[in-house]
Amino acid sequence: MTIETPAVLSGWPPPVLDPAGPFAGPVTTVAWVLFVMGAVVLTLVLIALGVALFGPPKWKRRVAGEKLVWIGGLAFPVVVLTGLLIYGLSVTARVADAPRPGEMRVRVTGEMWWWRVAYLDDQGRELVQDANEVHIPAGRPVVLELESADVIHSVWIPRLGGKTDMIPGRRNFMRLQADAPGVYAGQCAEYCGGPHALMGLVVVAHSPADFAAWRLKQAAPAAVSGLPGAAVFTASGCGACHTIRGTEANGLAGPDLTHVGSRQTLGAGILPNNQGTMAGWIADSQGIKPGNRMPSYSVLNGQELRDVAAYLESLK
Amino acid sequence: MLLTTGLCAAVTACTDKANAPRPLAQADAAEGLRLIERHGCAACHAIPGVRWPQGRTGGDLTGVASRPMIAGRLPNQPAVMTALVRDAPALLPGTGMPPMPLTEAEARDVAAYLYTLDDD
């Protein structure tokens, strides 16, 4: 028996054509309409081809007529494709509108190869930062403001919406809504170099009460733990790239770790999150996700590695 | 002749003993693999049956069932393995392997899976 590790995420690989919210529904419908129409047109073309090759002479003459070319080759595609274009654009227009007053806003920035997540207020000012996970209240639309820090990425959370590119220098919008609380897997859907395939995203939909509690906890700085790993974290220079709010670690290059212990996954949606995987990631992030921007920390001894993993896991 | 027969018997006996299945009553190796998967043990260990990742921080577990010792320190026995996968630092001070969030029963399942990993 062989199974894949990303199966630790509920719903990984992300199931497609299985919408769990009102913005994924129309996308799924468009997909089915395209499949069915493609199949119908292919069937008609194959029948015409069969007639042209093997049919009785009388039928062959009809297929060879100029009239069929005008109708089947020009009029039919123009009408059908125009209809599909208008239909498809009307669906995406609703999904990709700019945020309206009162809508919850989350900025997600694609970075090679992880996601910087910032929760915004009504004016678009940043309230709190997080990484690789988007928390939303269930049953309510949330606008993702999509940006890129380097190359083109694309957000795809198949059960909650369509794919939307993150383009350097632009801001694209994407609405998400989960009808029920749960964990929804996402994936970068635009090749962005190196470990692109290992750039996963997790959306956690909470009940409204749970979401309010999560938000309060997320806004709070890290609890002072006194664990020995805190000193190892500082001495190893981790704070040059990572922020832990409430401590001197204030680096901006890598994911904010203030509440890293509460995340579903490590390494951007690729590993389950516990002390063991944390230790493995710190010691050999290059072995697990080759090319990512975090060096492997082979300078730590076993005790130090365990201590720093225990410290980070305590940051709930 | 007698000597040869006796030697053969002795060698066979030893071989049999070395290859004796390590009994783990009521442990479920298939469930052990699911737990290994869910807890991401492969972040540090190469484990036959797990395609990705194949971690390099900890020991390669290919053929772990046939090895006489664990980590060059401990006898490779079911009770030791069961305790180790749950709380390695208690048995191996200074190890980089943190305690893993497994119950006793889960640790037995994980050990049962590891004991399916023979060299052959």
Side-chain angles (χ1 to χ4, degrees), chain A residues 115-245:
Chain A
W115 316 87
R116 190 185 296 275
V117 177
Y119 296 84
L120 309 178
D121 68 9
D122 270 350
Q123 276 72 50
R125 286 177 302 223
E126 190 174 311
L127 297 170
V128 62
Q129 244 197 53
D130 197 5
N132 298 331
E133 224 168 71
V134 178
H135 290 253
I136 61 172
R140 175 184 150 185
V142 173
V143 181
L144 300 190
E145 308 193 10
L146 307 177
E147 297 180 1
S148 168
D150 34 51
V151 300
I152 300 178
H153 303 274
S154 180
V155 176
W156 188 33
I157 304 136
R159 298 198 65 205
L160 301 184
K163 281 178 198 158
T164 307
D165 278 4
M166 300 171 139
I167 299 167
R170 280 192 59 136
R171 180 179 300 160
N172 286 338
F173 299 103
M174 176 186 192
R175 259 182 195 69
L176 289 186
Q177 178 173 329
D179 287 337
V183 178
Y184 302 91
Q187 167 67 36
C188 180
E190 178 71 44
Y191 179 68
C192 55
H196 152 73
L198 297 177
M199 184 170 165
L201 176 67
V202 179
V203 174
V204 183
H206 301 270
S207 69
D210 286 353
F211 180 72
W214 174 85
R215 195 162 199 170
L216 271 180
K217 203 181 65 155
Q218 187 64 27
V224 179
S225 62
L227 287 173
V232 180
F233 186 90
T234 307
S236 305
C238 308
C241 289
H242 296 286
T243 291
I244 297 179
R245 281 181 280 119

Side-chain angles (χ1 to χ4, degrees), chain B residues 36-76:
Chain B
I36 284 170
E37 188 69 19
R38 196 175 318 141
H39 290 94
C41 305
C44 290
H45 300 282
I47 305 169
V50 181
R51 222 178 298 163
W52 184 92
Q54 297 186 350
R56 311 179 293 193
T57 304
D60 185 332
L61 300 181
T62 308
V64 68
S66 331
R67 286 184 216 155
M69 301 197 85
I70 302 170
R73 300 255 189 100
L74 303 168
N76 192 358

Side-chain angles (χ1 to χ4, degrees), chain A:
Chain A
M1 184 168 59
T2 301
I3 39 183
E4 303 284 332
T5 285
V8 294
L9 278 172
S10 53
W12 192 285
V16 295
L17 304 177
D18 181 20
F23 299 107
V27 174
T28 308
T29 309
V30 170
W32 279 116
V33 167
L34 290 177
F35 286 154
V36 170
M37 295 203 60
V40 168
V41 169
L42 180 68
T43 308
L44 291 176
V45 169
L46 287 179
I47 289 171
L49 182 67
V51 167
L53 287 174
F54 309 112
K58 196 178 153 197
W59 288 24
K60 280 189 177 179
R61 272 196 301 280
R62 296 199 61 174
V63 186
E66 212 171 87
K67 204 167 112 193
L68 189 79
V69 176
W70 281 107
I71 294 171
L74 195 67
F76 179 76
V78 165
V79 170
V80 169
L81 293 179
T82 306
L84 275 179
L85 183 68
I86 292 167
Y87 171 57
L89 285 178
S90 70
V91 168
T92 48
R94 285 198 297 277
V95 172
D97 264 358
R100 299 183 197 107
E103 277 189 313
M104 180 177 152
R105 299 167 66 171
V106 184
R107 185 172 63 225
V108 182
T109 309
E111 311 232 357
M112 292 156 94
W113 291 268
W114 61 283
W115 316 87
R116 190 185 296 275
V117 177
Y119 296 84
L120 309 178
D121 68 9
D122 270 350
Q123 276 72 50
R125 286 177 302 223
E126 190 174 311
L127 297 170
V128 62
Q129 244 197 53
D130 197 5
N132 298 331
E133 224 168 71
V134 178
H135 290 253
I136 61 172
R140 175 184 150 185
V142 173
V143 181
L144 300 190
E145 308 193 10
L146 307 177
E147 297 180 1
S148 168
D150 34 51
V151 300
I152 300 178
H153 303 274
S154 180
V155 176
W156 188 33
I157 304 136
R159 298 198 65 205
L160 301 184
K163 281 178 198 158
T164 307
D165 278 4
M166 300 171 139
I167 299 167
R170 280 192 59 136
R171 180 179 300 160
N172 286 338
F173 299 103
M174 176 186 192
R175 259 182 195 69
L176 289 186
Q177 178 173 329
D179 287 337
V183 178
Y184 302 91
Q187 167 67 36
C188 180
E190 178 71 44
Y191 179 68
C192 55
H196 152 73
L198 297 177
M199 184 170 165
L201 176 67
V202 179
V203 174
V204 183
H206 301 270
S207 69
D210 286 353
F211 180 72
W214 174 85
R215 195 162 199 170
L216 271 180
K217 203 181 65 155
Q218 187 64 27
V224 179
S225 62
L227 287 173
V232 180
F233 186 90
T234 307
S236 305
C238 308
C241 289
H242 296 286
T243 291
I244 297 179
R245 281 181 280 119
T247 75
E248 60 192 271
N250 60 0
L252 295 173
D256 185 301
L257 300 181
T258 307
H259 299 289
V260 66
S262 66
R263 287 193 197 133
Q264 308 278 323
T265 67
L266 291 182
I270 60 170
L271 293 173
N273 186 5
N274 57 52
Q275 286 186 42
T277 51
M278 182 66 86
W281 175 259
I282 295 165
D284 193 19
S285 69
Q286 291 301 321
I288 294 168
K289 186 165 173 173
N292 91 83
R293 298 264 157 93
M294 173 162 160
S296 295
Y297 274 76
S298 52
V299 293
L300 302 174
N301 68 34
Q303 180 76 52
E304 290 166 336
L305 182 61
R306 263 195 291 124
D307 283 349
V308 77
Y311 166 63
L312 292 172
E313 282 304 310
S314 78
L315 301 176
K316 298 288 186 192

